[in-house]
Amino acid sequence: DAKTTQPNSMESNEEEPVHLPCNHSTISGTDYIHWYRQLPSQGPEYVIHGLTSNVNNRMASLAIAEDRKSSTLILHRATLRDAAVYYCILHMNYGGSQGNLIFGKGTKLSVKP
Amino acid sequence: DAGVTQSPTHLIKTRGQQVTLRCSPKSGHDTVSWYQQALGQGPQFIFQYYEEEERQRGNFPDRFSGHQFPNYSSELNVNALLLGDSALYLCASSPLLGQGMTQYFGPGTRLLVL
């Protein structure tokens, strides 16, 4: 799986939007962009994923650049419970089967009240 | 619907000992993956089991072995423990084919090797 680059840490104020960037300049055409987050003392939790088009779900939005070399996870209104490490992962779908996830160090998001 | 469960939650062992960690996947999932997470690092893939066989393996020595049972639950065994094996061990489950690419993680087992 290709490598991703994320800032080590970011800060946000509660109830404000947060944009978490991820660079993946070596992405291939079959790589999906996944975001997971890990709250303190918990296992990672799936947030969202996409291939080419922007995606929205109840947790977040994923904006994917036209050339797919970067993406941004958007939390529309950060809450204190969103404080976590956010991982951007490129995941190749092996003909429909699950490959493993290759995690980097992620971005540690702090949310101030 | 129970999610992924792991046992025990915490474990303390000494160097040279052997340890077995257990995982029950989310209902309806047939694939189990194991990850090791050292302090301050992202999880590292150990191996993945499907149909009771190891399908993929990361860069971990043979001291790390696993097993999957007919009910899809899984065990991770680590022999000849080293201090560097101290970590959070995470289990993740997923459906193998075409039903989605999300992996669901358990809370992990924190292993301390003294």
Side-chain angles (χ1 to χ4, degrees):
Chain A
D1 291 305
K3 186 176 177 180
T4 62
T5 303
Q6 300 177 251
N8 290 332
S9 62
M10 292 185 64
E11 274 191 356
S12 172
N13 294 317
E14 196 175 12
E15 298 191 3
E16 289 187 356
V18 182
H19 291 234
L20 297 165
C22 181
N23 289 319
H24 29 78
S25 58
T26 58
I27 191 170
S28 72
T30 54
D31 285 335
Y32 284 74
I33 302 160
H34 282 241
W35 284 82
Y36 282 74
R37 72 179 185 180
Q38 188 170 19
L39 281 63
S41 301
Q42 294 188 28
E45 172 189 32
Y46 168 80
V47 177
I48 200 167
H49 78 277
L51 183 61
T52 56
S53 304
N54 296 343
V55 184
N56 299 295
N57 66 22
R58 64 174 181 82
M59 291 181 68
S61 296
L62 176 60
I64 301 172
E66 198 170 330
D67 63 6
R68 301 209 326 126
K69 293 185 176 182
S70 65
S71 61
T72 302
L73 178 70
I74 302 166
L75 306 180
H76 296 287
R77 288 185 64 193
T79 69
L80 297 179
R81 291 183 299 174
D82 291 322
V85 178
Y86 287 78
Y87 296 100
C88 170
I89 300 166
L90 300 185
H91 188 195
M92 185 164 67
N93 187 7
Y94 300 100
S97 67
Q98 295 286 340
N100 67 84
L101 299 174
I102 298 179
F103 288 81
K105 289 190 175 182
T107 297
K108 184 174 183 179
L109 175 67
S110 302
V111 180
K112 296 183 291 184
Chain B
D1 177 22
V4 178
T5 60
Q6 293 186 243
S7 63
T9 55
H10 296 80
L11 204 51
I12 299 175
K13 291 286 188 178
T14 57
R15 281 180 298 173
Q17 284 189 313
Q18 178 263 345
V19 69
T20 297
L21 311 181
R22 295 175 178 81
C23 171
S24 291
K26 185 176 169 63
S27 177
H29 288 183
D30 53 13
T31 301
V32 173
S33 302
W34 286 92
Y35 293 80
Q36 179 195 65
Q37 186 174 24
L39 205 58
Q41 304 295 317
Q44 301 298 305
F45 174 72
I46 302 174
F47 42 54
Q48 182 181 79
Y49 276 82
Y50 171 67
E51 289 188 334
E52 303 180 49
E53 289 191 10
E54 183 181 295
R55 299 289 175 166
Q56 296 184 54
R57 189 179 184 92
N59 188 25
F60 278 81
D62 292 344
R63 297 187 298 109
F64 289 78
S65 63
H67 188 76
Q68 186 179 34
F69 299 93
N71 67 353
Y72 309 125
S73 66
S74 176
E75 288 182 350
L76 164 66
N77 300 295
V78 186
N79 293 323
L81 284 167
L82 305 174
L83 296 179
D85 295 331
S86 295
L88 180 68
Y89 288 85
L90 295 159
C91 170
S93 75
S94 56
L96 182 70
L97 296 176
Q99 298 178 38
M101 302 174 66
T102 301
Q103 292 197 13
Y104 293 83
F105 285 81
T109 293
R110 187 162 296 281
L111 172 65
L112 177 62
V113 182
L114 300 176

